[in-house]
Amino acid sequence: MKSLTRLLGLAALLTAHGFAQMSQPMLGEDTTKISDHVWAIMGFPNIAIVVGSRATLVVDTGLGAKNGATVARVAAKLAPNNTRLFLTTTHFHPEHAAGEPGFPAGTILIRDAVQQQEMEQHGQEMIAMFSGHSAQNKELLAGVVLRPPDVTFSQEATVDLGGVTARLLWFGGAHTKGDELTFVEPDRTLVSGDVVQNKTIPNIFGDGGTPATWLAVLEQVAALNAAHVLPDHSAPGDGSLVAAERDLIEGIQTRALALKQQGVSAEDAGKQISGELKTQHPDWPNTNAAGFVKSVYAEP
Ligand SMILES: [Zn+2]
């Protein structure tokens, strides 16, 4: 039963992240400027690099040490004089966290305590699962050992990079239990992980958050008043993505609860709502909301 849940979670993950991206795990060295102090490597996943006058913060690692080393190299190129490198991760999945061994010695690894707990419980198991996807993944993840972080925090940690402050935030469960958000000041740039996405159906992985906890997280995110948003698996956008995410989740939730009340099965509701979303958003790459509708049905 447990492994079935896991498999279903994986199927949803693959759907949400898209197969095209899944098959391109190698990160390049090109960067896109997001705001005054934030650059991104666009790929699987999008990596944020926040540059201050003294220190640099990287958010997410790429899949395996080879990608981690690429990210660290790009960070060093962006700020050759910065002596201190911080690394944090949006959530415990391997493309976000399992590139850590590629970072140089002395990198300060920091993440929220809930995410670290998930990492300890399921991190190695997720690496095994991702390794099974392709020969390339297997090679990239071979021998990866997840080291303990140097710093954990419960709700917020502030990292002063010199003229730039990164607020690392845990607001509650959404895509996973330990989803971390990074808010960069003074840029007002939000590195949003899977919590705020762009033209992407939300997905709760395994026993992560619930639709209600995701909405509660978004309420706190909205109060940050972000001007720029960098999601991990979709295109960057402005602060309006936060309200758009809330509207999308509330929309699916309202629709699913109405169908549930009419006695429609979760499967049929999933199909129906996915079709409605396709009509509403013909330009979105994927509107399969079956997984999220199930999450709405299962909400206690
Ligand atoms: Zn994920």
Side-chain angles (χ1 to χ4, degrees), residues 222-277:
L224 296 171
N225 192 24
H228 316 275
V229 179
L230 175 66
D232 56 359
H233 293 295
S234 51
D238 64 22
S240 69
L241 289 184
V242 177
E245 185 71 56
R246 184 203 56 210
D247 291 349
L248 175 63
I249 290 179
E250 274 179 359
I252 298 173
Q253 187 186 46
T254 303
R255 198 69 193 102
L257 289 176
L259 291 169
K260 189 180 181 186
Q261 214 154 35
Q262 290 165 28
V264 176
S265 74
E267 282 72 19
D268 288 347
K271 276 182 209 151
Q272 197 173 323
I273 292 168
S274 300
E276 290 166 5
L277 288 164

Coordinates of all heavy atoms in Angstrom, one line a residue, residues 222-277:
A222 N 1.8 35.8 0.1 CA 1.2 37.0 -0.5 C 1.7 38.2 0.3 O 1.9 39.3 -0.2 CB -0.3 36.9 -0.5
A223 N 1.8 38.0 1.6 CA 2.2 39.1 2.5 C 3.6 39.6 2.3 O 3.9 40.7 2.6 CB 2.0 38.7 4.0
L224 N 4.4 38.8 1.6 CA 5.8 39.2 1.3 C 5.8 40.3 0.2 O 6.7 41.1 0.1 CB 6.6 38.0 0.8 CG 6.9 36.9 1.8 CD1 7.5 35.7 1.1 CD2 7.8 37.4 2.9
N225 N 4.7 40.3 -0.6 CA 4.6 41.3 -1.7 C 5.7 41.2 -2.7 O 6.4 42.2 -2.9 CB 4.4 42.7 -1.1 CG 4.0 43.7 -2.1 OD1 3.4 43.4 -3.1 ND2 4.4 45.0 -1.9
A226 N 5.9 40.0 -3.2 CA 7.1 39.8 -4.2 C 6.8 40.6 -5.5 O 5.7 40.8 -5.9 CB 7.2 38.3 -4.5
A227 N 7.9 41.0 -6.0 CA 7.9 41.7 -7.3 C 8.3 40.7 -8.5 O 7.9 40.9 -9.6 CB 8.8 42.9 -7.3
H228 N 9.2 39.8 -8.1 CA 9.7 38.8 -9.1 C 9.5 37.4 -8.5 O 9.8 37.3 -7.3 CB 11.1 39.0 -9.4 CG 11.5 40.5 -9.6 ND1 11.3 41.1 -10.9 CD2 12.0 41.4 -8.8 CE1 11.7 42.3 -10.8 NE2 12.1 42.6 -9.5
V229 N 9.1 36.5 -9.3 CA 9.0 35.1 -8.8 C 9.8 34.2 -9.7 O 9.6 34.2 -11.0 CB 7.5 34.6 -8.7 CG1 7.5 33.2 -8.3 CG2 6.7 35.5 -7.8
L230 N 10.7 33.3 -9.1 CA 11.4 32.3 -9.9 C 10.9 30.9 -9.4 O 11.4 30.5 -8.3 CB 12.9 32.5 -9.7 CG 13.7 31.4 -10.4 CD1 13.6 31.4 -11.9 CD2 15.2 31.4 -9.9
P231 N 10.1 30.3 -10.2 CA 9.7 28.9 -9.8 C 10.8 27.9 -10.2 O 11.7 28.3 -11.0 CB 8.4 28.6 -10.6 CG 8.1 29.9 -11.3 CD 9.3 30.7 -11.3
D232 N 10.7 26.7 -9.7 CA 11.8 25.7 -10.0 C 11.6 24.9 -11.3 O 12.5 24.5 -11.9 CB 12.0 24.8 -8.9 CG 10.7 24.0 -8.4 OD1 9.7 24.3 -9.0 OD2 10.8 23.2 -7.5
H233 N 10.3 24.8 -11.8 CA 10.1 24.0 -13.0 C 9.2 24.7 -14.0 O 8.6 24.1 -14.9 CB 9.4 22.6 -12.6 CG 10.3 21.7 -11.8 ND1 11.4 21.2 -12.3 CD2 10.2 21.2 -10.6 CE1 12.0 20.4 -11.4 NE2 11.2 20.4 -10.3
S234 N 9.2 26.0 -13.9 CA 8.5 26.8 -15.0 C 9.1 28.2 -15.1 O 10.0 28.5 -14.4 CB 7.0 26.9 -14.6 OG 6.8 27.3 -13.3
A235 N 8.6 29.0 -16.0 CA 9.2 30.2 -16.3 C 9.0 31.3 -15.2 O 8.0 31.3 -14.5 CB 8.6 30.8 -17.6
P236 N 10.0 32.2 -15.1 CA 9.9 33.2 -14.1 C 8.8 34.2 -14.5 O 8.4 34.3 -15.6 CB 11.3 33.9 -14.1 CG 12.0 33.4 -15.3 CD 11.3 32.2 -15.8
G237 N 8.3 35.0 -13.5 CA 7.3 35.9 -13.7 C 7.3 37.0 -12.7 O 8.2 37.1 -11.9
D238 N 6.2 37.8 -12.7 CA 6.2 38.9 -11.6 C 5.4 38.4 -10.4 O 4.9 37.3 -10.4 CB 5.7 40.2 -12.2 CG 4.2 40.1 -12.7 OD1 3.5 39.2 -12.3 OD2 3.8 40.9 -13.6
G239 N 5.1 39.3 -9.5 CA 4.5 39.0 -8.3 C 3.0 38.5 -8.4 O 2.5 37.8 -7.5
S240 N 2.4 38.7 -9.6 CA 1.1 38.3 -9.8 C 0.9 36.8 -9.8 O -0.2 36.2 -9.7 CB 0.5 38.9 -11.1 OG 1.1 38.3 -12.2
L241 N 2.1 36.1 -10.0 CA 2.0 34.6 -10.0 C 1.5 34.1 -8.6 O 0.9 33.0 -8.6 CB 3.4 34.0 -10.2 CG 4.0 34.1 -11.6 CD1 5.3 33.4 -11.7 CD2 3.0 33.6 -12.7
V242 N 1.7 34.8 -7.6 CA 1.3 34.3 -6.2 C -0.2 34.3 -6.2 O -0.8 33.3 -5.8 CB 1.9 35.2 -5.1 CG1 1.4 34.8 -3.7 CG2 3.4 35.2 -5.2
A243 N -0.9 35.4 -6.6 CA -2.4 35.4 -6.6 C -2.9 34.4 -7.6 O -3.9 33.7 -7.4 CB -2.9 36.8 -6.9
A244 N -2.2 34.2 -8.7 CA -2.6 33.3 -9.7 C -2.6 31.8 -9.2 O -3.5 31.0 -9.5 CB -1.8 33.4 -11.0
E245 N -1.6 31.5 -8.4 CA -1.5 30.2 -7.8 C -2.6 30.0 -6.8 O -3.3 28.9 -6.8 CB -0.1 30.1 -7.1 CG 0.1 28.7 -6.5 CD 0.4 27.7 -7.6 OE1 1.4 27.9 -8.4 OE2 -0.3 26.6 -7.7
R246 N -2.9 31.0 -6.0 CA -4.0 30.8 -5.1 C -5.4 30.6 -5.8 O -6.2 29.8 -5.5 CB -4.1 32.1 -4.2 CG -5.2 32.0 -3.1 CD -5.6 33.4 -2.7 NE -6.0 34.2 -3.8 CZ -5.9 35.6 -3.9 NH1 -5.3 36.2 -2.9 NH2 -6.3 36.2 -5.0
D247 N -5.6 31.4 -6.9 CA -6.8 31.3 -7.6 C -6.9 29.9 -8.3 O -8.0 29.4 -8.3 CB -6.9 32.4 -8.7 CG -7.0 33.8 -8.1 OD1 -7.3 33.9 -6.9 OD2 -6.9 34.8 -8.9
L248 N -5.8 29.4 -8.8 CA -5.8 28.1 -9.4 C -6.2 27.0 -8.4 O -7.1 26.2 -8.7 CB -4.5 27.8 -10.0 CG -4.2 26.5 -10.7 CD1 -5.2 26.2 -11.8 CD2 -2.8 26.3 -11.1
I249 N -5.5 27.1 -7.2 CA -5.8 26.0 -6.2 C -7.2 26.1 -5.7 O -7.9 25.1 -5.6 CB -4.7 26.1 -5.1 CG1 -3.4 25.7 -5.7 CG2 -5.2 25.3 -3.9 CD1 -2.3 25.7 -4.7
E250 N -7.7 27.4 -5.4 CA -9.0 27.6 -4.9 C -10.0 27.1 -6.0 O -11.1 26.5 -5.6 CB -9.3 29.0 -4.6 CG -8.8 29.4 -3.2 CD -9.0 30.9 -2.8 OE1 -9.5 31.6 -3.7 OE2 -8.7 31.2 -1.7
G251 N -9.7 27.4 -7.2 CA -10.6 27.0 -8.3 C -10.8 25.5 -8.4 O -11.9 25.0 -8.5
I252 N -9.7 24.8 -8.4 CA -9.7 23.3 -8.4 C -10.4 22.8 -7.2 O -11.3 21.8 -7.3 CB -8.3 22.7 -8.6 CG1 -7.6 23.2 -9.8 CG2 -8.4 21.2 -8.5 CD1 -6.1 22.8 -10.0
Q253 N -10.1 23.3 -6.0 CA -10.7 22.9 -4.8 C -12.2 23.0 -4.8 O -13.0 22.1 -4.5 CB -10.1 23.7 -3.6 CG -10.5 23.2 -2.3 CD -9.9 24.2 -1.2 OE1 -10.1 25.4 -1.3 NE2 -9.3 23.7 -0.1
T254 N -12.7 24.2 -5.2 CA -14.1 24.5 -5.2 C -14.8 23.5 -6.1 O -15.9 22.9 -5.8 CB -14.4 26.0 -5.7 OG1 -13.7 26.8 -4.8 CG2 -15.8 26.3 -5.7
R255 N -14.3 23.4 -7.3 CA -14.9 22.5 -8.4 C -14.9 21.0 -7.9 O -15.9 20.3 -8.0 CB -14.0 22.7 -9.6 CG -14.6 22.2 -10.9 CD -15.8 23.1 -11.3 NE -16.4 22.3 -12.4 CZ -17.6 21.6 -12.2 NH1 -18.2 21.7 -11.1 NH2 -18.1 20.9 -13.2
A256 N -13.8 20.6 -7.3 CA -13.7 19.2 -6.8 C -14.7 18.9 -5.7 O -15.3 17.9 -5.7 CB -12.2 18.9 -6.4
L257 N -14.8 19.9 -4.8 CA -15.7 19.7 -3.6 C -17.1 19.6 -4.1 O -17.9 18.9 -3.6 CB -15.5 20.8 -2.6 CG -14.2 20.7 -1.8 CD1 -14.0 21.8 -0.8 CD2 -14.1 19.3 -1.0
A258 N -17.5 20.4 -5.1 CA -18.8 20.4 -5.7 C -19.1 19.1 -6.3 O -20.2 18.5 -6.1 CB -19.0 21.5 -6.7
L259 N -18.2 18.5 -7.1 CA -18.4 17.2 -7.7 C -18.4 16.1 -6.7 O -19.2 15.2 -6.8 CB -17.2 17.0 -8.7 CG -17.3 17.9 -10.0 CD1 -16.0 17.7 -10.8 CD2 -18.5 17.6 -10.8
K260 N -17.6 16.3 -5.6 CA -17.6 15.3 -4.6 C -19.0 15.2 -3.9 O -19.5 14.1 -3.6 CB -16.5 15.6 -3.5 CG -16.3 14.5 -2.5 CD -15.3 14.9 -1.5 CE -15.0 13.8 -0.4 NZ -14.1 14.2 0.6
Q261 N -19.6 16.4 -3.7 CA -20.9 16.5 -3.1 C -21.9 15.8 -4.0 O -22.9 15.3 -3.5 CB -21.2 17.9 -2.8 CG -22.0 18.1 -1.5 CD -21.8 19.5 -0.9 OE1 -21.6 20.5 -1.7 NE2 -21.8 19.6 0.4
Q262 N -21.7 15.9 -5.3 CA -22.7 15.3 -6.2 C -22.5 13.8 -6.3 O -23.1 13.1 -7.1 CB -22.5 15.9 -7.6 CG -23.0 17.3 -7.7 CD -22.5 18.0 -9.0 OE1 -22.3 17.4 -10.0 NE2 -22.4 19.3 -8.9
G263 N -21.5 13.2 -5.6 CA -21.2 11.8 -5.6 C -20.4 11.4 -6.8 O -20.2 10.2 -7.0
V264 N -19.7 12.3 -7.5 CA -18.8 11.9 -8.6 C -17.5 11.4 -8.0 O -17.0 11.9 -7.0 CB -18.5 13.2 -9.4 CG1 -17.5 12.9 -10.5 CG2 -19.8 13.8 -10.0
S265 N -17.0 10.3 -8.6 CA -15.8 9.7 -8.0 C -14.6 10.6 -8.3 O -14.6 11.5 -9.1 CB -15.5 8.4 -8.8 OG -15.0 8.6 -10.1
A266 N -13.5 10.4 -7.5 CA -12.3 11.3 -7.6 C -11.7 11.1 -9.0 O -11.3 12.1 -9.6 CB -11.3 10.9 -6.5
E267 N -11.8 9.9 -9.5 CA -11.2 9.7 -10.9 C -12.0 10.5 -11.9 O -11.4 11.2 -12.8 CB -11.2 8.2 -11.2 CG -10.2 7.3 -10.6 CD -10.4 7.1 -9.1 OE1 -11.5 7.3 -8.6 OE2 -9.4 6.8 -8.4
D268 N -13.3 10.4 -11.9 CA -14.1 11.1 -12.9 C -14.0 12.6 -12.7 O -13.9 13.4 -13.7 CB -15.6 10.7 -12.8 CG -15.8 9.3 -13.3 OD1 -14.8 8.7 -14.0 OD2 -16.9 8.7 -13.1
A269 N -13.9 13.0 -11.4 CA -13.8 14.5 -11.2 C -12.4 15.0 -11.7 O -12.3 16.0 -12.3 CB -13.9 14.8 -9.7
G270 N -11.4 14.1 -11.6 CA -10.1 14.5 -12.1 C -10.1 14.7 -13.6 O -9.6 15.7 -14.1
K271 N -10.8 13.8 -14.3 CA -10.8 13.9 -15.7 C -11.6 15.1 -16.1 O -11.2 15.8 -17.0 CB -11.5 12.6 -16.3 CG -10.6 11.4 -16.5 CD -11.3 10.2 -17.1 CE -10.7 8.9 -16.6 NZ -11.6 7.8 -16.6
Q272 N -12.7 15.3 -15.5 CA -13.6 16.4 -15.9 C -12.9 17.8 -15.6 O -12.9 18.6 -16.5 CB -14.9 16.4 -15.0 CG -16.0 17.2 -15.6 CD -17.3 17.0 -14.8 OE1 -17.6 15.9 -14.4 NE2 -18.0 18.1 -14.6
I273 N -12.3 17.9 -14.5 CA -11.6 19.2 -14.1 C -10.4 19.4 -15.0 O -10.1 20.5 -15.4 CB -11.3 19.2 -12.6 CG1 -12.6 19.3 -11.8 CG2 -10.4 20.4 -12.3 CD1 -12.4 19.0 -10.3
S274 N -9.7 18.3 -15.3 CA -8.5 18.5 -16.2 C -8.9 19.0 -17.6 O -8.3 19.9 -18.2 CB -7.8 17.1 -16.4 OG -7.3 16.7 -15.1
G275 N -10.1 18.5 -18.0 CA -10.6 18.9 -19.3 C -11.0 20.4 -19.3 O -10.8 21.2 -20.2
E276 N -11.7 20.8 -18.2 CA -12.1 22.2 -18.0 C -10.9 23.1 -18.0 O -10.9 24.2 -18.6 CB -12.9 22.3 -16.7 CG -14.3 21.7 -16.8 CD -14.9 21.5 -15.4 OE1 -14.4 22.0 -14.4 OE2 -16.0 20.9 -15.4
L277 N -9.8 22.7 -17.3 CA -8.6 23.5 -17.2 C -8.0 23.6 -18.6 O -7.4 24.7 -18.9 CB -7.6 22.9 -16.2 CG -8.1 23.1 -14.7 CD1 -7.3 22.1 -13.8 CD2 -7.8 24.5 -14.3

